[in-house]
Amino acid sequence: CRAVHHGHPPWITASAASPGGVACRLYRGAAAPAGTVVYFHGGGFVVGGLESHDDICAEIAAATGLAVVSVDYRLAPEHPHPAAFDDALGATRAVAADCDGPLLLAGDSAGGNLAAAVAHRLRGAAPAVAGQVLIYPGLGGDRGAGSYLRHAHAPLLSSADSAWYAAIRHPGGQEPSRPAP
């Protein structure tokens, strides 16, 4: 990530925050934001963090004029499921309590999974989630069919890699069942 880091636009500031007791980084422009994006990084629930997605979050803040809160959720294997979800939900609730304007959830890969799961948990309740941006989210599926087969040997994330990440996140192979619609 450091090799491809583009830095921040000069008008974007980044500062440490800890909504809900979860380490986060807040990105803001000079003007008052019209809303807030809570961003969850990718990395298979095993790698990634505030540094790996630093310039992405700064870019989102610069392009949208929204505040962006990047959540540094706990990672497996030291913190197995549902630790990442608990951090994502706790941080989102705390951010929502302090933000003015719409609340949006976003994330890539594992972070897309967290954004979708948090939005699902909060549906019909406060805080209201105005929308979500899911960037190639990891939302499950049959690992013996579809893109798991078509892209089984894809660079950076093969089907074997996906299975490895799942095994690390869910020790003993016990993946949780899907939530009710």
Side-chain angles (χ1 to χ4, degrees):
C1 293
R2 193 170 288 127
V4 297
H5 189 274
H6 291 99
H8 299 178
W11 63 91
I12 298 297
T13 61
S15 58
S18 56
V22 179
C24 294
R25 188 173 289 159
L26 170 64
Y27 299 84
R28 294 182 59 132
T36 303
V37 175
V38 179
Y39 192 88
F40 307 106
H41 67 81
F45 302 97
V46 177
V47 298
L50 298 177
E51 295 305 320
S52 65
H53 289 66
D54 179 65
D55 57 341
I56 293 167
C57 292
E59 214 173 290
I60 292 169
T64 64
L66 302 173
V68 176
V69 178
S70 179
V71 179
D72 196 19
Y73 58 86
R74 290 174 290 167
L75 301 173
E78 294 84 2
H79 306 282
H81 179 75
F85 173 76
D86 292 343
D87 289 352
L89 181 61
T92 299
R93 284 181 168 152
V95 166
D98 288 336
C99 81
D100 294 323
L103 178 70
L104 304 163
L105 304 181
D108 66 287
S109 194
N113 173 290
L114 288 171
V118 169
H120 181 77
R121 174 63 66 87
L122 294 176
R123 74 191 190 285
V129 174
Q132 49 186 317
V133 178
L134 309 179
I135 306 163
Y136 57 91
L139 299 176
D142 182 351
R143 289 197 187 114
S147 64
Y148 284 101
L149 297 179
R150 265 191 315 280
H151 306 291
H153 303 288
L156 302 178
L157 188 63
S158 67
S159 291
D161 294 334
S162 292
W164 182 84
Y165 282 118
I168 294 295
R169 183 176 183 218
H170 307 288
Q174 298 299 316
E175 291 190 47
S177 62
R178 294 180 186 266

